[in-house]
Amino acid sequence: MAKERRMPIESGCPDGFQYMHPTMLRNFGQWKYHTHPRVGVLCHVAESGDEIWTVRAGTQRILDVFTLRTLCDIGDKYADGHVRFTIRSNIEFMVDDESKVDPLIEALEAAGFVVGGTQNSVAFISHTQGWLHCDIPGTDASGVVKAMMDELVHEFKNAEMPNRVHITTSCCQINCGGQGDIAINIQHTKPPKINHSLVANVCERPAVVARCPVAAIRPAMVDGKPTLEVDEKKCICCGACYPPCPPMQINDPEHSKLAIWVGGNHSNARSKPSFQKLVAAGIPNNPPRWPEATRIVKKILSAYKEDARDWERINDWIDRIGWPRFFELTELPFTKFHIDNWRGSRKSLNASSYMRF
Ligand code: SF4
Ligand code: SF4
């Protein structure tokens, strides 16, 4: 073994302290309380008596250089030259004086940005990367977000919901995208179509076979070439075979649909964290405005807004009223596909690290 151990090369994100507003740096870990003077604005008060005002505006997440420069110019001119991004693609400007808040909001709105997304509003929808960065999306999550937020802008600017609402989208069925009060996710409805002439050139077949959660893929020979075959009775159309093997074509303009799930909650502030549950499936993946999915999300939100008690998140509300009442209030059809009675995983779920052939 070498005497001197080579130090790791740090290539992660840089130390955030160097970019922090001086008031935040001075009072790090010493915050006493915060208030919510208006939607999109938070005021944090430190033990020392210092105050910091945060103004939040939505952005499109995938930012072009022109927009970034516009936002940074606003930050230099109207804020104190410090910004940060939230996990939901909002930009936040920090100022240490209340008198700077209104001019900052005016400048943001004049440049076309929407201020809001705090407290019990519909926060900015979080989305995955879609066509721009990823190689497996079945829809453009960013497009779904844009189309929906255009229709939900009132709920972003006003805190009229019983509690905060976090909506998420995901552009494939297996990877990122997350737990949300409402989640709009891709749903494949047909097994992959295999392009046999490409498999031998493109895919590592053992890796693809091992990837299938229900062991539905087997090696095969077609026209004298090594390829794969899928047992369509077992396949659950998850799309997990497509990333390591693009010839397993699962994305389809007609059969890749959207599904809506509700009630996911990471927080355990008032009740236990909960998993989201499927409430609408087979919704057309219909760019550029996704009207069918947007209509359902709006229906769920309006039923929640009308019927939930103060501070109930969507999962708390459903726990109180029960699923039958949820389906009545939202007028969504309840079908046999909502009943999770699949027991296949007990026999076939590929939960070991061994490859199977
Ligand atoms: S959700 Fe899937 S397709 Fe979308 S960015 Fe994540 S891994 Fe890629
Ligand atoms: S990985 Fe998913 S989509 Fe591919 S064959 Fe297996 S179950 Fe079907």
Side-chain angles (χ1 to χ4, degrees):
M1 206 172 110
K3 279 190 187 148
E4 296 264 320
R5 188 176 287 183
R6 183 179 64 79
M7 291 305 289
I9 299 163
E10 292 297 345
S11 50
C13 60
D15 179 4
F17 282 92
Q18 61 186 314
Y19 303 120
M20 225 181 246
H21 190 290
T23 308
M24 296 175 77
L25 209 50
R26 238 185 358 259
N27 296 287
F28 187 75
Q30 305 293 325
W31 297 99
K32 205 168 162 192
Y33 65 92
H34 72 270
T35 58
H36 183 246
R38 53 168 282 191
V39 185
V41 180
L42 295 167
C43 172
H44 285 80
V45 180
E47 299 283 355
S48 64
D50 285 352
E51 288 180 351
I52 189 111
W53 298 74
T54 306
V55 175
R56 178 180 294 178
T59 78
Q60 62 269 46
R61 169 166 169 174
I62 296 165
L63 288 163
D64 57 286
V65 176
F66 173 79
T67 310
L68 266 175
R69 289 207 169 121
T70 307
L71 286 165
C72 291
D73 288 347
I74 292 173
D76 283 336
K77 193 163 173 198
Y78 296 94
D80 300 340
H82 293 267
V83 298
R84 66 180 171 202
F85 284 91
T86 70
I87 201 167
R88 303 191 149 258
S89 318
N90 302 291
I91 189 167
E92 291 188 339
F93 297 85
M94 278 69 66
V95 293
D96 56 10
D97 185 345
E98 188 183 355
S99 66
K100 296 178 188 167
V101 170
D102 284 343
L104 172 59
I105 292 175
E106 274 163 34
L108 282 166
E109 289 180 341
F113 296 99
V114 186
V115 173
T118 50
Q119 221 193 31
N120 49 329
S121 60
V122 173
F124 203 84
I125 302 178
S126 73
H127 62 92
T128 48
Q129 332 203 24
W131 305 120
L132 196 61
H133 284 292
C134 192
D135 53 358
I136 58 167
T139 189
D140 183 18
S142 322
V144 177
V145 171
K146 164 70 180 144
M148 280 191 190
M149 281 316 283
D150 278 354
E151 300 216 15
L152 297 176
V153 68
H154 174 86
E155 303 299 350
F156 180 78
K157 289 165 79 173
N158 295 280
E160 294 170 354
M161 287 288 157
N163 201 337
R164 65 180 57 119
V165 179
H166 286 169
I167 306 181
T168 62
T169 60
S170 174
C171 38
C172 71
Q173 204 172 284
I174 50 163
N175 286 342
C176 37
Q179 281 275 79
D181 291 300
I182 303 176
I184 302 115
N185 298 336
I186 267 284
Q187 175 197 29
H188 298 299
T189 57
K190 289 263 163 103
K193 283 183 231 153
I194 308 175
N195 184 338
H196 293 292
S197 61
L198 283 180
V199 171
N201 303 339
V202 178
C203 313
E204 283 191 28
R205 291 181 305 144
V208 188
V209 171
R211 191 74 184 246
C212 180
V214 292
I217 306 175
R218 287 188 296 259
M221 294 291 277
V222 172
D223 296 335
K225 283 188 178 171
T227 181
L228 299 161
E229 66 183 6
V230 170
D231 179 344
E232 298 197 352
K233 283 207 192 96
K234 278 188 179 175
C235 174
I236 52 169
C237 311
C238 67
C241 48
Y242 178 54
C245 184
M248 305 284 277
Q249 294 285 322
I250 188 109
N251 286 341
D252 184 283
E254 192 191 335
H255 301 300
S256 292
K257 309 273 191 189
L258 294 184
I260 295 182
W261 303 66
V262 302
N265 186 9
H266 292 299
S267 153
N268 57 1
R270 289 185 175 77
S271 52
K272 284 185 196 163
S274 62
F275 280 122
Q276 54 201 20
K277 314 254 183 342
L278 180 85
V279 293
I283 306 159
N285 179 19
N286 190 3
R289 302 301 297 176
W290 290 272
E292 300 84 356
T294 305
R295 205 173 307 124
I296 294 173
V297 169
K298 284 173 81 176
K299 248 186 186 176
I300 296 169
L301 283 173
S302 77
Y304 168 64
K305 191 172 173 178
E306 290 266 300
D307 195 62
R309 294 182 186 150
D310 284 354
W311 303 112
E312 277 178 339
R313 292 283 289 262
I314 288 189
N315 62 317
D316 303 323
W317 167 57
I318 298 169
D319 277 354
R320 178 172 60 79
I321 64 172
W323 286 103
R325 185 83 182 123
F326 170 87
F327 281 96
E328 263 169 47
L329 289 174
T330 54
E331 295 169 3
L332 292 170
F334 182 82
T335 71
K336 63 179 182 178
F337 300 111
H338 289 96
I339 298 167
D340 179 7
N341 62 354
W342 188 64
R343 296 287 174 263
S345 66
R346 289 178 187 168
K347 280 199 180 134
S348 60
L349 189 66
N350 192 0
S352 82
S353 55
Y354 291 99
M355 289 185 184
R356 285 202 280 257
F357 297 96

